[in-house]
Amino acid sequence: MKNVERLANVALLGLSLAPLVVNVDPNVNVIVTACLTVFVGCYRSVKPTPPSETMSNEHAMRFPLVGSAMLLSLFLLFKFLSKDLVNAVLTCYFFVLGIAALSATLLPAIRRFLPKKWNDDLIIWHFPYFRSLEIEFTRSQIVAAIPGTIFCVWYAKQKHWLANNVLGLAFCIQGIEMLSLGSFKTGAILLAGLFVYDIFWVFFTPVMVSVAKSFDAPIKLLFPTADAKRPFSMLGLGDIVIPGIFVALALRFDVSRGKGPQYFKSAFLGYTFGLALTIFVMNWFQAAQPALLYIVPAVIGFLAVHCIWNGDVKPLLEFEEGKTKDAEEADAKESKKVE
């Protein structure tokens, strides 16, 4: 773990706990927390081997449609069924998911203090009566699951905003770390589709806002305010993860070229600017805003201007993360044979 990443982790932890003891401006809290989360997730996504699975152009095109179907389904569930019943089922689901996400987030820090054997030796557990189903894990993962389970129990019992945020941040960091767009072309398709998706469901229907207010699960971060009528400001996890995986791709592109975080800086600056503009417009009009309306053009715009300025448009557009060096050499040989 690099020093800059370690500092970002400490700052994120401190900022998450700060509202318990001091008044923190919710607008500042939203911006800094989201940016630190993206920063941490991006650096955790840099690994020696490329991701085994990446998103295709077809998946990117379908994603807004699938997201719309899920959002509308949740809206109808809350409309026709008891909110308590729906939230109880969702709490059970996120309880299990939360343990996995929080454990995976804590694992790198915990591994350093455990014996090498605990980190490397795999334990294979078969499901009773379904011997073909199995789970592989290490002793280190079991140790990391202990604090994850404690936090999830706390969240399920109290629904405290801090427990909600801890789980939400874990989901965001894991999402940015594990998800790969594969190429900037796929990323642009995904962001463009979700740009339209966010505008439509926020401005033209009450669905998005209604689900966000009714959904009592860690799908959003809560920031305490001094307003009794509106005790919390909210930021959806999608407004962190979706742009975050694009910014992370920019960092891994820089790493693949053996250079410092060049285009990562411009993409990250674009995310910060877009989120700050969202908060400004929201306060100006005193109305909910689709964050991706401002974040998507800022992230793509800042990166595009920087890329054009440096004359690196072609390398950036040709970058495909799923391809290994061997695959690239094989493609080059095939192209020579054809010629």
Side-chain angles (χ1 to χ4, degrees):
M1 185 183 295
K2 296 182 179 180
N3 289 333
V4 65
E5 184 185 346
R6 188 175 290 109
L7 287 173
N9 278 299
V10 173
L12 184 59
L13 176 62
L15 187 59
S16 299
L17 297 174
L20 293 173
V21 291
V22 296
N23 290 327
V24 181
D25 184 276
N27 296 324
V28 175
N29 202 352
V30 168
I31 296 170
V32 179
T33 298
C35 291
L36 285 173
T37 305
V38 169
F39 188 90
V40 170
C42 288
Y43 271 91
R44 286 179 61 120
S45 74
V46 178
K47 298 176 181 178
T49 57
S52 57
E53 294 185 7
T54 57
M55 184 178 290
S56 66
N57 289 348
E58 291 75 17
H59 290 150
M61 292 177 189
R62 288 199 298 263
F63 195 90
L65 300 177
V66 174
S68 297
M70 292 181 64
L71 183 66
L72 188 58
S73 298
L74 286 171
F75 176 76
L76 294 175
L77 283 175
F78 283 117
K79 187 176 180 64
F80 295 108
L81 296 178
S82 167
K83 288 183 180 180
D84 293 336
L85 175 61
V86 176
N87 280 316
V89 174
L90 292 172
T91 297
C92 294
Y93 172 73
F94 279 99
F95 181 87
V96 177
L97 200 62
I99 293 175
L102 193 53
S103 301
T105 304
L106 296 174
L107 184 60
I110 292 175
R111 284 169 58 97
R112 296 188 300 155
F113 302 100
L114 296 176
K116 188 175 185 298
K117 187 177 180 181
W118 285 33
N119 296 329
D120 298 337
D121 291 353
L122 281 176
I123 300 171
I124 301 176
W125 183 77
H126 294 272
F127 281 84
Y129 307 109
F130 299 94
R131 303 298 294 178
S132 59
L133 298 177
E134 61 183 32
I135 299 177
E136 295 182 353
F137 55 89
T138 63
R139 292 180 179 87
S140 299
Q141 289 174 320
I142 296 175
V143 174
I146 295 173
T149 304
I150 293 172
F151 258 98
C152 287
V153 170
W154 179 34
Y155 170 76
K157 287 188 173 182
Q158 302 293 331
K159 295 296 181 75
H160 193 276
W161 64 265
L162 180 58
N164 173 90
N165 285 3
V166 169
L167 292 177
L169 291 173
F171 290 142
C172 288
I173 292 171
Q174 285 303 301
I176 297 171
E177 178 183 355
M178 303 304 296
L179 297 176
S180 173
L181 293 169
S183 69
F184 288 98
K185 294 177 183 177
T186 303
I189 293 171
L190 178 66
L191 291 183
L194 291 174
F195 172 81
V196 177
Y197 160 92
D198 216 20
I199 293 173
F200 175 77
W201 289 112
V202 173
F203 281 154
F204 296 98
T205 75
V207 173
M208 180 80 79
V209 176
S210 176
V211 170
K213 291 180 178 179
S214 302
F215 205 149
D216 190 11
I219 61 162
K220 56 187 179 291
L221 299 183
L222 302 174
F223 303 92
T225 70
D227 187 354
K229 295 181 180 178
R230 193 171 63 98
F232 295 102
S233 290
M234 297 184 297
L235 180 67
L237 301 191
D239 298 328
I240 300 175
V241 176
I242 299 302
I245 58 178
F246 188 86
V247 178
L249 184 65
L251 177 60
R252 295 194 296 274
F253 173 65
D254 289 333
V255 172
S256 71
R257 304 175 77 203
K259 298 184 178 181
Q262 183 181 23
Y263 292 113
F264 165 72
K265 289 181 179 178
S266 56
F268 183 75
L269 182 62
Y271 177 77
T272 305
F273 175 81
L275 184 58
L277 183 60
T278 304
I279 300 300
F280 173 78
V281 175
M282 182 184 68
N283 287 314
W284 182 271
F285 290 103
Q286 290 295 304
Q289 296 293 317
L292 295 182
L293 168 63
Y294 309 97
I295 294 174
V296 168
V299 170
I300 295 179
F302 275 58
L303 180 64
V305 169
H306 191 185
C307 185
I308 293 171
W309 180 268
N310 288 346
D312 285 333
V313 175
K314 186 177 180 180
L316 186 136
L317 292 178
E318 291 179 348
F319 176 67
E320 291 188 26
E321 191 171 35
K323 281 192 174 183
T324 62
K325 289 183 179 180
D326 293 338
E328 289 175 355
E329 290 175 359
D331 289 345
K333 288 179 181 179
E334 285 294 327
S335 62
K336 286 181 179 179
K337 288 180 181 179
V338 171
E339 291 174 1

